[in-house]
Amino acid sequence: MGIRASVSKLQPYTPGEQPRVPGLIKLNTNENPYPPSPRVAEALRQIAAEGLRLYPDPLAADLRAEIAHLHGCAPENVFAGNGSDEILALCTRAFVEPQGEIAWFDPSYSLYPVLAAIADTPARAIPLTNEFRLPPIEVMGLRSVSLMFVTVPNAPTGLAYPRPEIEAICRAVPGVVVLDEAYVDFAPESFADLALRLPNVLVTRSFSKSYSLAGLRLGYAIGPRPLIEALFKIKDSYNIDAIAQRLGIEAVRDQAWMRANADRIIATRGRVADALAALGWKVLPSAANFLFARPPGGDAAGIFAKLRARNILVRHFPGPRTGEYLRITIGTDEQMDALLAALRA
């Protein structure tokens, strides 16, 4: 039929549900419950439709300059993408030879194995420990890795990893290490400095979570100029539209708004974690905008279904490692109170 064999047998990535149900409490896709910066809203109002007849800046130069200023680096160290997912996909094309190996930890972001399958490249999921921590580096088998994805903090567990262990991985992998920091603004620290110090490390970021711009599809990477230049060589001609570039600039400029929203979510996260623990749940210590928690008895699938019947949507990942847990996005205080009331009932 003309379809590549690897595509025919591919199990595609399954995104979280996006139902349009009146009154739904949506806690399943780690969206920010609070609006983006007023500067973003004002910039959106000022965009003239007439200008959309022109192509956007193919290099996203102004946006990259703002991101570079934020991180104290040169614009040449910044690549902007159509969501950080586009950048992850580009990495599989830029940094892996046909017989190279792509690796990631398990459980982690479920897009990684899909990207490896699309690339039709040897791939390996390195199991985390029973407590979802990093295994000893001696047993990871990193010497053959061309591209390593590390989500920090991890998803779906929300766990942060110690800096010495992350730096050791970066130094042990002979290929490129991508530190996926989609949730870093809810975490105690970033590893962006490693991307500006080590020759084989990229850090990717998303505007979807802390900047409240999931609907915009915007992300970026920072790292050494040779790696950034490689991504530019293979990107789509105009991979970021003009509206996303303009609004992204204003979002980056309003760090105070982003930080206030993130701090509010962190405070709610702590309160809900304590409440779930009081109900007998096992709650992993989260450094993200969600909680990964096991209900008493481990019937996560049953509780998922009962919550769904009450118009409360959380995320369940079937499988031997994750099937007894639910991932719960942190929403507004009112939303989380409704969740807790439903669980008590």
Side-chain angles (χ1 to χ4, degrees), residues 13-56:
Y13 173 71
T14 304
E17 294 178 80
Q18 297 287 352
R20 300 292 186 263
V21 178
L24 180 72
I25 296 178
K26 191 171 180 298
L27 307 174
N28 68 321
T29 50
N30 299 341
E31 294 145 322
N32 197 311
Y34 304 112
S37 163
R39 296 182 62 143
V40 171
E42 180 59 29
L44 183 60
R45 283 190 291 268
Q46 292 179 3
I47 291 174
E50 191 276 340
L52 297 180
R53 65 184 178 81
L54 302 173
Y55 284 111

Side-chain angles (χ1 to χ4, degrees), residues 162-183:
R163 172 171 284 269
E165 295 181 31
I166 293 298
E167 185 159 355
I169 291 170
C170 293
R171 295 184 182 278
V173 170
V176 172
V177 178
V178 176
L179 302 178
D180 184 348
E181 290 194 335
Y183 301 98

Side-chain angles (χ1 to χ4, degrees), residues 221-240:
I222 60 173
R225 290 179 65 170
L227 301 187
I228 297 296
E229 289 170 359
L231 296 177
F232 270 106
K233 288 180 179 180
I234 62 172
K235 77 175 185 70
D236 289 344
S237 302
Y238 304 97
N239 65 324
I240 306 175

